[in-house]
Every structure is written in structure tokens, then in C-alpha cells.
Amino acid sequence: WYQRRVRGVLNYSSTVTLLNNLSTMMIWQFLLILSSFYIAKSSELVTCTSVIKLQNVQRGIRLHSHEVKYGSGSGQQSVTGVSNGDDVNSYWVIVNGSNKPQCERGDEVKCGDIIRLKHFTTNKNLHSHHFSAPLTGSHQEVSAFGEDGVGDDGDNWTVICSTDVWLKTSPVRLRHVATSKYLTVPGSTFGRPIAGQYENYSTQLNL
């Protein structure tokens, strides 16, 4: 699940958590720290163009990317999980998915909406596809894809939550639209050049 919280300077941040189902696998749950530049601190709503961090509650790691490509599979920019809460490469921007015109800053994100998460520093989108995950090959690779936020249908994720709209305190899951798999962190870690960072993948969950 993902749960959210709000932060300062660019005054944003947010932590999302993947709840590892299948007994021990964790699906990201979103803990969101939002900037007052994008949303009032008093607001309970998660909104379009919010800049966030996603933190896995069980493991305390943040959804992360950087200019390091996978050495296998798609060869696209890697997406990992890190424990360092101050890393600028763990920021993501909420933008609209392919189900409606681009949303405006401050528009609320409803449960069931299709969104994209654009990586703040590289402008690539959180992405999944049928390439095998690099460490746990029986699941789908998660990568960062596109240029300046322009990608393809593999960048679309459905916000799954139990309320009408995405609230700061609401746990959420992210389900990949094209494959119906859930963003998940299994606990496997990489070696060099990203030693100690966690693998993320998309998988089917028996909910």
C-alpha cells in the first residue's frame, strides 16, 4: 500500500509503500510529502503535479531511479528502492495517465484514476512491460522510460484505494494498466554499480 505525507524546501515529499503480498511480497504503499508550492499543507488531498516520495512501509525504502541502465532485459533506466530519505532521485511527479486530458495543478486524484509518475530529475516515467525482472526473472521488470515525460501505454498505473479520492493518509496500491500487475518490492538487492539498492517488479497478487 501507499500512504502519503508532506514536506518543505521545494516543500514536497511523500513516502509510498508497496505491500508485499503473496505472503511476504510488499506492494508499494504511498506515504506522501507534498510541497506547499503544489498543495496546501492543510489539504488532505493528493493532487495532480504533486512532487512526492513513495516509501515501502514494511521495509522503509523509497521508490528511486537514476541514470543507471539495466545491463539485461530492456536496457532501460533502472528503478530501485533505497533507504536514504534525502536522495533527490527518489522524487516523482504525479501527472495524468492516458484516460483523460492532462490534469491541472491542484486537481484531486481519485481512486481508480490512471496516472503516470514522472521521475523528477530524469523526466522519465515509471514503466513496466513483459521483460523479466533482473533478479527475480519470473516477474515483470519495472523501469523508467520516455523522454521529457513522453512515453507509451506502459507508463500508466491505476491508483487502487478504499476511499473516493486519494488522501494523504490513505494507503494505495499501484496496478499497471497494460498488464494488470502490481508494483511490488520483494527484498532482493543489487550488486555494483547500485549495490544494496532493492529490486522492484510488477507481479500478480492474489488479493
mmCIF file of all heavy atoms in Angstrom, residues 2-29:
data_model
loop_
_atom_site.group_PDB
_atom_site.id
_atom_site.type_symbol
_atom_site.label_atom_id
_atom_site.label_comp_id
_atom_site.label_asym_id
_atom_site.label_seq_id
_atom_site.Cartn_x
_atom_site.Cartn_y
_atom_site.Cartn_z
ATOM 1 N N TYR A 2 0.295 2.336 -0.448
ATOM 2 C CA TYR A 2 0.991 3.608 -0.420
ATOM 3 C C TYR A 2 0.251 4.577 0.485
ATOM 4 O O TYR A 2 -0.938 4.682 0.418
ATOM 5 C CB TYR A 2 1.034 4.234 -1.805
ATOM 6 C CG TYR A 2 1.990 3.583 -2.729
ATOM 7 C CD1 TYR A 2 1.568 2.579 -3.562
ATOM 8 C CD2 TYR A 2 3.319 3.942 -2.756
ATOM 9 C CE1 TYR A 2 2.448 1.974 -4.415
ATOM 10 C CE2 TYR A 2 4.195 3.335 -3.606
ATOM 11 C CZ TYR A 2 3.756 2.352 -4.432
ATOM 12 O OH TYR A 2 4.615 1.741 -5.279
ATOM 13 N N GLN A 3 0.994 5.288 1.267
ATOM 14 C CA GLN A 3 0.400 6.297 2.126
ATOM 15 C C GLN A 3 1.209 7.567 1.964
ATOM 16 O O GLN A 3 2.350 7.502 1.593
ATOM 17 C CB GLN A 3 0.457 5.835 3.586
ATOM 18 C CG GLN A 3 -0.114 6.816 4.543
ATOM 19 C CD GLN A 3 -0.025 6.292 5.943
ATOM 20 O OE1 GLN A 3 0.420 5.176 6.156
ATOM 21 N NE2 GLN A 3 -0.431 7.082 6.876
ATOM 22 N N ARG A 4 0.687 8.711 2.223
ATOM 23 C CA ARG A 4 1.403 9.910 1.870
ATOM 24 C C ARG A 4 1.653 10.873 3.019
ATOM 25 O O ARG A 4 0.948 10.882 3.985
ATOM 26 C CB ARG A 4 0.627 10.591 0.753
ATOM 27 C CG ARG A 4 0.627 12.058 0.805
ATOM 28 C CD ARG A 4 -0.370 12.663 -0.126
ATOM 29 N NE ARG A 4 -1.132 13.637 0.525
ATOM 30 C CZ ARG A 4 -1.894 14.494 -0.067
ATOM 31 N NH1 ARG A 4 -2.030 14.454 -1.354
ATOM 32 N NH2 ARG A 4 -2.566 15.373 0.600
ATOM 33 N N ARG A 5 2.655 11.764 2.871
ATOM 34 C CA ARG A 5 2.922 12.820 3.832
ATOM 35 C C ARG A 5 3.518 14.038 3.131
ATOM 36 O O ARG A 5 3.923 13.927 1.995
ATOM 37 C CB ARG A 5 3.865 12.313 4.920
ATOM 38 C CG ARG A 5 5.222 11.989 4.426
ATOM 39 C CD ARG A 5 6.129 11.500 5.534
ATOM 40 N NE ARG A 5 7.478 11.480 5.043
ATOM 41 C CZ ARG A 5 8.498 11.010 5.702
ATOM 42 N NH1 ARG A 5 8.328 10.530 6.908
ATOM 43 N NH2 ARG A 5 9.694 11.028 5.180
ATOM 44 N N VAL A 6 3.643 15.217 3.760
ATOM 45 C CA VAL A 6 4.024 16.458 3.076
ATOM 46 C C VAL A 6 5.337 17.079 3.571
ATOM 47 O O VAL A 6 5.615 16.984 4.719
ATOM 48 C CB VAL A 6 2.927 17.523 3.249
ATOM 49 C CG1 VAL A 6 3.210 18.731 2.397
ATOM 50 C CG2 VAL A 6 1.570 16.958 2.937
ATOM 51 N N ARG A 7 6.122 17.758 2.703
ATOM 52 C CA ARG A 7 7.445 18.250 3.112
ATOM 53 C C ARG A 7 7.824 19.663 2.676
ATOM 54 O O ARG A 7 7.008 20.347 2.099
ATOM 55 C CB ARG A 7 8.494 17.252 2.648
ATOM 56 C CG ARG A 7 9.374 17.814 1.611
ATOM 57 C CD ARG A 7 10.628 17.046 1.330
ATOM 58 N NE ARG A 7 11.620 17.970 0.917
ATOM 59 C CZ ARG A 7 12.835 17.662 0.577
ATOM 60 N NH1 ARG A 7 13.218 16.416 0.624
ATOM 61 N NH2 ARG A 7 13.676 18.580 0.208
ATOM 62 N N GLY A 8 9.061 20.154 2.854
ATOM 63 C CA GLY A 8 9.451 21.531 2.643
ATOM 64 C C GLY A 8 10.574 21.772 1.647
ATOM 65 O O GLY A 8 11.043 20.914 1.004
ATOM 66 N N VAL A 9 11.128 22.888 1.501
ATOM 67 C CA VAL A 9 12.095 23.457 0.567
ATOM 68 C C VAL A 9 11.421 23.566 -0.785
ATOM 69 O O VAL A 9 10.844 24.579 -1.081
ATOM 70 C CB VAL A 9 13.427 22.697 0.415
ATOM 71 C CG1 VAL A 9 14.426 23.694 -0.099
ATOM 72 C CG2 VAL A 9 13.951 22.130 1.711
ATOM 73 N N LEU A 10 11.527 22.580 -1.650
ATOM 74 C CA LEU A 10 10.579 22.592 -2.754
ATOM 75 C C LEU A 10 9.301 22.243 -2.031
ATOM 76 O O LEU A 10 8.288 22.039 -2.618
ATOM 77 C CB LEU A 10 10.891 21.520 -3.779
ATOM 78 C CG LEU A 10 11.604 21.912 -5.042
ATOM 79 C CD1 LEU A 10 11.393 20.914 -6.123
ATOM 80 C CD2 LEU A 10 11.326 23.289 -5.490
ATOM 81 N N ASN A 11 9.387 22.097 -0.802
ATOM 82 C CA ASN A 11 8.328 21.723 0.127
ATOM 83 C C ASN A 11 7.570 20.527 -0.361
ATOM 84 O O ASN A 11 6.377 20.546 -0.376
ATOM 85 C CB ASN A 11 7.368 22.868 0.341
ATOM 86 C CG ASN A 11 7.979 23.916 1.183
ATOM 87 O OD1 ASN A 11 8.904 23.639 1.920
ATOM 88 N ND2 ASN A 11 7.469 25.103 1.112
ATOM 89 N N TYR A 12 8.239 19.525 -0.841
ATOM 90 C CA TYR A 12 7.487 18.359 -1.181
ATOM 91 C C TYR A 12 8.190 17.161 -0.648
ATOM 92 O O TYR A 12 9.361 17.137 -0.489
ATOM 93 C CB TYR A 12 7.352 18.192 -2.686
ATOM 94 C CG TYR A 12 8.623 18.290 -3.397
ATOM 95 C CD1 TYR A 12 9.541 17.263 -3.392
ATOM 96 C CD2 TYR A 12 8.932 19.441 -4.093
ATOM 97 C CE1 TYR A 12 10.712 17.372 -4.061
ATOM 98 C CE2 TYR A 12 10.116 19.528 -4.758
ATOM 99 C CZ TYR A 12 10.993 18.502 -4.754
ATOM 100 O OH TYR A 12 12.159 18.607 -5.445
ATOM 101 N N SER A 13 7.425 16.142 -0.469
ATOM 102 C CA SER A 13 7.942 14.815 -0.340
ATOM 103 C C SER A 13 6.805 13.922 -0.024
ATOM 104 O O SER A 13 5.731 14.368 0.254
ATOM 105 C CB SER A 13 9.081 14.722 0.634
ATOM 106 O OG SER A 13 8.830 14.540 1.912
ATOM 107 N N SER A 14 7.064 12.669 -0.090
ATOM 108 C CA SER A 14 5.988 11.750 0.080
ATOM 109 C C SER A 14 6.585 10.382 0.161
ATOM 110 O O SER A 14 7.576 10.108 -0.458
ATOM 111 C CB SER A 14 5.073 11.897 -1.102
ATOM 112 O OG SER A 14 4.441 10.756 -1.389
ATOM 113 N N THR A 15 6.028 9.551 0.923
ATOM 114 C CA THR A 15 6.586 8.234 1.058
ATOM 115 C C THR A 15 5.541 7.229 0.629
ATOM 116 O O THR A 15 4.439 7.302 1.085
ATOM 117 C CB THR A 15 6.961 7.987 2.501
ATOM 118 O OG1 THR A 15 7.644 9.107 2.958
ATOM 119 C CG2 THR A 15 7.803 6.776 2.647
ATOM 120 N N VAL A 16 5.887 6.298 -0.251
ATOM 121 C CA VAL A 16 4.915 5.309 -0.678
ATOM 122 C C VAL A 16 5.381 3.936 -0.289
ATOM 123 O O VAL A 16 6.539 3.646 -0.348
ATOM 124 C CB VAL A 16 4.752 5.305 -2.189
ATOM 125 C CG1 VAL A 16 3.835 4.209 -2.615
ATOM 126 C CG2 VAL A 16 4.220 6.631 -2.610
ATOM 127 N N THR A 17 4.452 3.087 0.056
ATOM 128 C CA THR A 17 4.839 1.761 0.468
ATOM 129 C C THR A 17 4.217 0.693 -0.392
ATOM 130 O O THR A 17 3.055 0.739 -0.674
ATOM 131 C CB THR A 17 4.376 1.520 1.878
ATOM 132 O OG1 THR A 17 4.918 2.520 2.669
ATOM 133 C CG2 THR A 17 4.807 0.177 2.371
ATOM 134 N N LEU A 18 5.006 -0.263 -0.803
ATOM 135 C CA LEU A 18 4.480 -1.382 -1.549
ATOM 136 C C LEU A 18 4.161 -2.495 -0.583
ATOM 137 O O LEU A 18 4.972 -2.887 0.210
ATOM 138 C CB LEU A 18 5.516 -1.904 -2.526
ATOM 139 C CG LEU A 18 5.639 -1.085 -3.759
ATOM 140 C CD1 LEU A 18 6.614 -1.701 -4.704
ATOM 141 C CD2 LEU A 18 4.315 -0.920 -4.416
ATOM 142 N N LEU A 19 2.981 -2.998 -0.682
ATOM 143 C CA LEU A 19 2.541 -4.047 0.203
ATOM 144 C C LEU A 19 2.931 -5.369 -0.414
ATOM 145 O O LEU A 19 2.405 -5.758 -1.408
ATOM 146 C CB LEU A 19 1.044 -3.946 0.333
ATOM 147 C CG LEU A 19 0.292 -5.044 1.009
ATOM 148 C CD1 LEU A 19 0.876 -5.478 2.298
ATOM 149 C CD2 LEU A 19 -1.119 -4.579 1.195
ATOM 150 N N ASN A 20 3.910 -6.003 0.154
ATOM 151 C CA ASN A 20 4.411 -7.258 -0.367
ATOM 152 C C ASN A 20 3.403 -8.341 -0.066
ATOM 153 O O ASN A 20 3.320 -8.818 1.034
ATOM 154 C CB ASN A 20 5.715 -7.595 0.330
ATOM 155 C CG ASN A 20 6.790 -7.870 -0.643
ATOM 156 O OD1 ASN A 20 6.528 -8.047 -1.806
ATOM 157 N ND2 ASN A 20 7.990 -7.903 -0.173
ATOM 158 N N ASN A 21 2.624 -8.716 -1.052
ATOM 159 C CA ASN A 21 1.649 -9.768 -0.861
ATOM 160 C C ASN A 21 2.294 -11.081 -1.247
ATOM 161 O O ASN A 21 3.489 -11.153 -1.393
ATOM 162 C CB ASN A 21 0.401 -9.494 -1.692
ATOM 163 C CG ASN A 21 -0.792 -10.278 -1.244
ATOM 164 O OD1 ASN A 21 -0.730 -11.466 -1.119
ATOM 165 N ND2 ASN A 21 -1.880 -9.593 -1.013
ATOM 166 N N LEU A 22 1.483 -12.094 -1.525
ATOM 167 C CA LEU A 22 1.982 -13.437 -1.760
ATOM 168 C C LEU A 22 2.755 -13.819 -0.507
ATOM 169 O O LEU A 22 3.874 -14.282 -0.568
ATOM 170 C CB LEU A 22 2.902 -13.493 -2.983
ATOM 171 C CG LEU A 22 2.328 -12.919 -4.274
ATOM 172 C CD1 LEU A 22 3.337 -13.032 -5.380
ATOM 173 C CD2 LEU A 22 1.044 -13.603 -4.650
ATOM 174 N N SER A 23 2.150 -13.589 0.634
ATOM 175 C CA SER A 23 2.709 -13.846 1.941
ATOM 176 C C SER A 23 3.701 -12.786 2.353
ATOM 177 O O SER A 23 3.508 -12.114 3.333
ATOM 178 C CB SER A 23 3.390 -15.197 2.012
ATOM 179 O OG SER A 23 2.471 -16.207 1.812
ATOM 180 N N THR A 24 4.798 -12.661 1.615
ATOM 181 C CA THR A 24 5.846 -11.767 2.080
ATOM 182 C C THR A 24 6.176 -10.650 1.116
ATOM 183 O O THR A 24 6.936 -9.773 1.470
ATOM 184 C CB THR A 24 7.123 -12.568 2.343
ATOM 185 O OG1 THR A 24 7.467 -13.284 1.175
ATOM 186 C CG2 THR A 24 6.950 -13.514 3.488
ATOM 187 N N MET A 25 5.669 -10.654 -0.112
ATOM 188 C CA MET A 25 5.998 -9.596 -1.051
ATOM 189 C C MET A 25 5.218 -8.337 -0.712
ATOM 190 O O MET A 25 4.082 -8.408 -0.292
ATOM 191 C CB MET A 25 5.687 -10.034 -2.476
ATOM 192 C CG MET A 25 6.685 -11.012 -2.991
ATOM 193 S SD MET A 25 6.478 -11.328 -4.722
ATOM 194 C CE MET A 25 4.797 -11.837 -4.778
ATOM 195 N N MET A 26 5.855 -7.189 -0.881
ATOM 196 C CA MET A 26 5.239 -5.945 -0.445
ATOM 197 C C MET A 26 4.839 -5.071 -1.607
ATOM 198 O O MET A 26 5.653 -4.739 -2.431
ATOM 199 C CB MET A 26 6.199 -5.170 0.434
ATOM 200 C CG MET A 26 6.620 -5.942 1.638
ATOM 201 S SD MET A 26 7.775 -5.011 2.612
ATOM 202 C CE MET A 26 8.266 -6.289 3.752
ATOM 203 N N ILE A 27 3.579 -4.688 -1.640
ATOM 204 C CA ILE A 27 3.114 -3.737 -2.628
ATOM 205 C C ILE A 27 3.410 -2.363 -2.094
ATOM 206 O O ILE A 27 3.242 -2.117 -0.916
ATOM 207 C CB ILE A 27 1.619 -3.893 -2.841
ATOM 208 C CG1 ILE A 27 1.369 -5.224 -3.495
ATOM 209 C CG2 ILE A 27 1.087 -2.781 -3.704
ATOM 210 C CD1 ILE A 27 -0.052 -5.512 -3.694
ATOM 211 N N TRP A 28 3.825 -1.463 -2.969
ATOM 212 C CA TRP A 28 4.168 -0.120 -2.511
ATOM 213 C C TRP A 28 2.978 0.547 -1.872
ATOM 214 O O TRP A 28 1.908 0.594 -2.431
ATOM 215 C CB TRP A 28 4.655 0.727 -3.677
ATOM 216 C CG TRP A 28 6.064 0.429 -3.988
ATOM 217 C CD1 TRP A 28 6.536 -0.378 -4.958
ATOM 218 C CD2 TRP A 28 7.197 0.916 -3.284
ATOM 219 N NE1 TRP A 28 7.901 -0.416 -4.911
ATOM 220 C CE2 TRP A 28 8.325 0.368 -3.896
ATOM 221 C CE3 TRP A 28 7.369 1.769 -2.187
ATOM 222 C CZ2 TRP A 28 9.611 0.643 -3.467
ATOM 223 C CZ3 TRP A 28 8.643 2.043 -1.767
ATOM 224 C CH2 TRP A 28 9.751 1.490 -2.396
ATOM 225 N N GLN A 29 3.217 1.108 -0.715
ATOM 226 C CA GLN A 29 2.236 1.948 -0.050
ATOM 227 C C GLN A 29 2.763 3.362 -0.111
ATOM 228 O O GLN A 29 3.956 3.590 0.014
ATOM 229 C CB GLN A 29 2.048 1.542 1.405
ATOM 230 C CG GLN A 29 1.037 2.402 2.115
ATOM 231 C CD GLN A 29 0.673 1.823 3.433
ATOM 232 O OE1 GLN A 29 0.976 0.662 3.678
ATOM 233 N NE2 GLN A 29 0.043 2.590 4.267
#
